[in-house]
Amino acid sequence: DIVVNLPAVATVPVGARLRVKKTSSDAKKITLDGNASEQIGGGTTYASIDANGDTALFINTGSAWQLIDSALT
Protein backbone atom coordinates (compact mmCIF):
# COMPACT_ATOMS: atom_id res chain seq x y z
CA ASP A 1 0.00 0.00 0.00
CA ILE A 2 0.99 3.63 -0.48
CA VAL A 3 0.53 6.18 2.32
CA VAL A 4 0.55 9.88 1.48
CA ASN A 5 1.07 12.15 4.49
CA LEU A 6 -0.69 15.46 3.92
CA PRO A 7 0.67 18.83 5.04
CA ALA A 8 -1.02 20.68 7.89
CA VAL A 9 -4.06 22.57 6.61
CA ALA A 10 -2.70 25.75 8.22
CA THR A 11 0.25 25.66 5.79
CA VAL A 12 -1.97 25.40 2.69
CA PRO A 13 -4.20 28.24 1.43
CA VAL A 14 -7.88 27.91 2.35
CA GLY A 15 -9.77 26.76 -0.74
CA ALA A 16 -6.79 24.89 -2.18
CA ARG A 17 -7.77 21.64 -3.84
CA LEU A 18 -6.08 18.26 -3.80
CA ARG A 19 -6.92 15.64 -6.41
CA VAL A 20 -5.62 12.08 -6.12
CA LYS A 21 -5.93 9.52 -8.91
CA LYS A 22 -4.76 5.91 -9.01
CA THR A 23 -3.18 5.19 -12.38
CA SER A 24 -2.10 1.59 -11.99
CA SER A 25 -3.95 -1.70 -11.84
CA ASP A 26 -1.79 -3.24 -9.11
CA ALA A 27 -3.33 -4.38 -5.82
CA LYS A 28 -1.93 -1.48 -3.78
CA LYS A 29 -4.37 1.01 -2.30
CA ILE A 30 -3.66 4.68 -1.68
CA THR A 31 -4.23 5.93 1.85
CA LEU A 32 -4.23 9.66 2.55
CA ASP A 33 -3.23 10.54 6.10
CA GLY A 34 -4.12 13.94 7.52
CA ASN A 35 -1.50 15.80 9.52
CA ALA A 36 -1.59 14.84 13.21
CA SER A 37 -5.30 14.58 14.11
CA GLU A 38 -6.58 16.65 11.16
CA GLN A 39 -9.56 15.22 9.31
CA ILE A 40 -9.63 14.14 5.67
CA GLY A 41 -12.94 13.08 4.18
CA GLY A 42 -14.47 12.80 7.65
CA GLY A 43 -11.76 10.66 9.27
CA THR A 44 -8.08 10.84 10.16
CA THR A 45 -7.30 8.76 7.04
CA TYR A 46 -8.98 8.22 3.67
CA ALA A 47 -8.36 4.80 2.14
CA SER A 48 -11.00 4.33 -0.58
CA ILE A 49 -8.66 4.77 -3.56
CA ASP A 50 -7.82 1.19 -4.53
CA ALA A 51 -8.73 0.56 -8.19
CA ASN A 52 -7.22 1.85 -11.43
CA GLY A 53 -8.90 5.14 -12.33
CA ASP A 54 -10.27 5.90 -8.84
CA THR A 55 -10.15 9.62 -8.09
CA ALA A 56 -10.94 11.79 -5.10
CA LEU A 57 -11.02 15.58 -4.86
CA PHE A 58 -10.59 17.41 -1.56
CA ILE A 59 -10.69 21.10 -0.59
CA ASN A 60 -8.91 22.73 2.33
CA THR A 61 -11.55 24.32 4.58
CA GLY A 62 -8.97 25.85 6.89
CA SER A 63 -9.51 23.17 9.50
CA ALA A 64 -9.75 19.93 7.46
CA TRP A 65 -9.54 18.37 4.00
CA GLN A 66 -13.18 18.03 2.90
CA LEU A 67 -14.09 15.45 0.24
CA ILE A 68 -16.02 17.29 -2.49
CA ASP A 69 -16.02 14.76 -5.34
CA SER A 70 -15.00 11.17 -6.01
CA ALA A 71 -15.23 8.56 -8.73
CA LEU A 72 -14.61 5.13 -7.27
CA THR A 73 -15.04 1.83 -9.08
Side-chain angles (χ1 to χ4, degrees):
D1 292 352
I2 299 168
V3 177
V4 179
N5 296 304
L6 299 180
V9 293
T11 65
V12 178
V14 173
R17 293 176 180 215
L18 170 70
R19 181 181 304 273
V20 179
K21 180 176 183 176
K22 186 166 193 283
T23 60
S24 67
S25 57
D26 60 28
K28 294 180 181 178
K29 69 178 177 181
I30 299 172
T31 299
L32 304 176
D33 190 0
N35 183 272
S37 62
E38 291 178 347
Q39 298 281 300
I40 178 164
T44 55
T45 62
Y46 183 84
S48 297
I49 303 169
D50 59 4
N52 188 23
D54 282 359
T55 62
L57 177 63
F58 301 89
I59 190 167
N60 178 8
T61 66
S63 61
W65 291 100
Q66 181 66 43
L67 179 66
I68 58 173
D69 189 34
S70 65
L72 305 173
T73 56

